[in-house]
Amino acid sequence: MKPRLGFLGVGWIGRHRLEALAASGGIEIAAIADPSRERREACLAVAPGARACEHLGQLLELPLDGIVIATPSALHAEHCIAALERGHAVFCQKPLARTAAETRKVVDVARAHDLLLAVDLSYRKTEAMRRAWKVVREGGIGRPFAIDLAFHNAYGPDAPWFYDKTASGGGCVIDLGIHLVDLALWLTDFPAVTRVASRLFAGGDAIDPCGRQVEDYAEVQLQLAGGIVARLACSWRVSAGRDAVIEATVYGTSGGVAMKNVDGSFYDFIAERYHGTRTERLASPPDSWGGRAAIEWAERLGVGDRFDPESERLIALAEVLDAIYERGGA
């Protein structure tokens, strides 16, 4: 049986995930919930047999196997917990919650109800990053000792709630830096983070210590167990000379490997392996990766997978983000 899914929030990202799951052919779109009639109707064109709902409460009354959540960040924890407590597996947009404490509550509920929980940390799923991960894990660059990561969005988000810390949890760090921290930990098999140093900026000035602004530029250094140093930078609306800069490079004792976006694209990536002054191309566009994490979650749901202890690493990720904000003065 194909899993019956409900979709909560079908703005740009929610609709994209719905379309990707529909195209996979592996699920049934049973219901779509969004306060916007226009957005609901646009998605019903993709899934004409789905039930249209205005809010989560209506979804929870339906016989669903899982719910895909793409609502504003402040609502993620509340919505996830409500869905899990009604027996629905959850696939949620990042961040799972605004803080480590909120994240722990969601994971605890998923564990208690033995339900599959996943978060859309989608850059892991690019073919370029998969190739880079394989090289690192197979010892292809020797012992890793440094990672440089960057995510600069020259446009910045357009929804007003992104700039309200109570709604978003923060600025560019929780929006973009979450991917960078996740990649640093995932590439190195989730070592302990022994030291966090950060500087956060808002509007070009160091962030107010009372946190009255969300940050639009951040510099972070993480010391990982085993002697690895990860250096991160992320921003909104920086003058990058292109739409976006998205990069992750791992340096090892006998080589390096990198994922990089192409010509400022948010979607096209290459992977390169470095041998001294030589470069070897490992992966190139095209690569339809955007819905890959959601599809993999749905496939696991379809074969009966339950709670995955890997979900507990979402708490460790959130704890690093909390430390970045604490050290940076937010």
Side-chain angles (χ1 to χ4, degrees), residues 42-114:
C43 289
L44 288 172
V46 178
R51 178 169 173 176
C53 303
E54 294 183 9
H55 54 77
L56 175 61
Q58 293 171 312
L59 282 185
L60 296 180
E61 298 302 318
L62 302 177
L64 303 174
D65 298 302
I67 295 179
V68 178
I69 295 175
T71 51
S73 299
L75 302 174
H76 285 181
E78 173 188 343
H79 288 165
C80 288
I81 289 171
L84 292 163
E85 288 182 337
R86 292 297 291 268
H88 305 310
V90 166
F91 181 83
C92 187
Q93 284 306 307
K94 55 78 189 170
L96 180 60
R98 294 168 295 180
T99 65
E102 285 186 349
T103 301
R104 185 175 290 104
K105 289 179 182 178
V106 179
V107 174
D108 285 348
V109 172
R111 186 193 306 106
H113 291 268
D114 194 22

Side-chain angles (χ1 to χ4, degrees), residues 73-78 81 93-108 119 165-170 173-175 178 311-326 330:
S73 299
L75 302 174
H76 285 181
E78 173 188 343
I81 289 171
Q93 284 306 307
K94 55 78 189 170
L96 180 60
R98 294 168 295 180
T99 65
E102 285 186 349
T103 301
R104 185 175 290 104
K105 289 179 182 178
V106 179
V107 174
D108 285 348
V119 174
K165 188 174 181 180
T166 60
S168 62
V173 168
I174 201 164
D175 180 38
I178 186 172
S311 300
E312 295 176 357
R313 286 178 165 165
L314 295 168
I315 301 170
L317 172 60
E319 287 173 341
V320 176
L321 295 180
D322 279 1
I324 290 171
Y325 281 115
E326 180 184 348

Side-chain angles (χ1 to χ4, degrees), residues 20 28-31 47 81 88 100-101 105 120 146 152 168 174 184 193 201-202 206 221 238 244 297 313 321:
E28 177 186 347
I29 299 176
I81 289 171
H88 305 310
K105 289 179 182 178
D120 197 8
H152 300 297
S168 62
I174 201 164
V193 178
F201 301 85
Q221 182 167 302
V238 74
W297 167 82
R313 286 178 165 165
L321 295 180

